[in-house]
Amino acid sequence: AQKVTQAQTEISVVEKEDVTLDCVYETRDTTYYLFWYKQPPSGELVFLIRRNSFDEQNEISGRYSWNFQKSTSSFNFTITASQVVDSAVYFCALSEAEGYSTLTFGKGTMLLVSP
Amino acid sequence: KAGVTQTPRYLIKTRGQQVTLSCSPISGHRSVSWYQQTPGQGLQFLFEYFSETQRNKGNFPGRFSGRQFSNSRSEMNVSTLELGDSALYLCASSLIGGTMGSYNEQFFGPGTRLTVL
């Protein structure tokens, strides 16, 4: 069975601080996908990134960066120089890479960025 | 291109009633998935429909059901509502379902917030 753990329930930072959201996953599959989604107060999930289990390269997109380490089954997300608009709930998710698989989500981390 | 739309956005029902939620996917998308989000259980997969057929189902009781129409619009129904059914119900659409292929991302709607009193 697949499982995603986001141990941080809530993180509070002051604007311009860097913040890292942790994600640890469990799967017996050798090929899988990892995702991060952002959920603002409006409710819809906004896709941020998708990573194939064979691609362990870190990725940077503007102020966002992701660190994928297969050895520790972790897929951590860092926001550099956080802004108030980054305040949201962030979800890490996992899916099999075969068939019509679905997403298994972590419980989410609420990020509060204050001015 | 219009996004995924869900109606109604908010709903209040009482225990024992039934409810129907609607989801209109992005034009051209044929797969619709439903998720339930609660503070205690988080985001949990309910079911997925493709070409009017349920292709995947999560671990929910039979009170939860759904269907998909020929235009890919989907409805989910919850009968005999319980207090624990209070949740945000999210719908996601994608081209063909599943998560394979970078072209096949799931796009989520704003959700329907159901409150059961």
Side-chain angles (χ1 to χ4, degrees):
Chain A
Q2 299 181 325
K3 186 179 178 182
V4 177
T5 301
Q6 294 180 257
Q8 303 150 310
T9 307
E10 185 174 319
I11 300 176
S12 292
V13 298
V14 177
E15 214 170 13
K16 297 183 184 175
E17 281 186 34
D18 298 346
V19 58
T20 296
L21 309 182
D22 298 332
C23 173
V24 174
Y25 62 91
E26 295 175 31
T27 180
R28 278 180 269 185
D29 298 318
T30 55
T31 306
Y32 48 89
Y33 294 111
L34 293 164
F35 302 80
W36 275 95
Y37 283 87
K38 174 182 179 179
Q39 187 177 42
S42 53
E44 79 274 22
L45 289 171
V46 178
F47 167 82
L48 294 177
I49 190 172
R50 160 203 173 108
R51 180 46 54 92
N52 185 305
S53 57
F54 289 119
D55 183 4
E56 288 193 68
Q57 278 192 338
N58 291 333
E59 179 153 341
I60 298 174
S61 176
R63 295 185 297 107
Y64 296 169
S65 63
W66 290 270
N67 184 317
F68 176 29
Q69 292 197 336
K70 222 168 172 178
S71 59
T72 56
S73 297
S74 65
F75 186 42
N76 297 336
F77 172 32
T78 297
I79 302 176
T80 302
S82 59
Q83 300 176 1
V84 173
V85 293
D86 295 327
S87 297
V89 181
Y90 291 86
F91 290 93
C92 181
L94 168 70
S95 78
E96 298 173 356
E98 295 181 3
Y100 301 105
S101 56
T102 59
L103 295 165
T104 298
F105 286 91
K107 291 288 181 71
T109 297
M110 177 177 286
L111 174 64
L112 299 172
V113 183
S114 54
Chain B
K1 198 176 190 181
V4 178
T5 57
Q6 293 187 245
T7 57
R9 292 292 311 278
Y10 302 90
L11 205 49
I12 299 175
K13 292 284 187 179
T14 56
R15 276 182 301 174
Q17 287 186 309
Q18 75 164 16
V19 67
T20 298
L21 311 182
S22 179
C23 172
S24 292
I26 291 173
S27 178
H29 284 192
R30 296 172 64 190
S31 168
V32 172
S33 297
W34 289 89
Y35 291 83
Q36 182 197 62
Q37 184 178 14
T38 60
Q41 300 300 317
L43 274 157
Q44 294 184 289
F45 170 73
L46 278 158
F47 27 64
E48 185 242 354
Y49 287 87
F50 180 81
S51 290
E52 302 177 65
T53 301
Q54 185 181 89
R55 196 164 57 179
N56 224 334
K57 189 178 191 307
N59 188 25
F60 278 81
R63 299 185 297 106
F64 291 81
S65 62
R67 59 178 176 168
Q68 186 181 36
F69 302 94
S70 58
N71 61 358
S72 294
R73 188 177 71 86
S74 177
E75 290 181 347
M76 67 162 282
N77 183 279
V78 187
S79 62
T80 320
L81 284 165
E82 301 177 358
L83 294 179
D85 297 332
S86 294
L88 179 67
Y89 290 88
L90 290 164
C91 163
S93 79
S94 67
L95 282 170
I96 61 171
T99 56
M100 292 181 68
S102 58
Y103 57 90
N104 190 38
E105 299 304 339
Q106 290 198 36
F107 293 85
F108 284 82
T112 293
R113 186 163 296 282
L114 171 65
T115 301
V116 182
L117 303 176

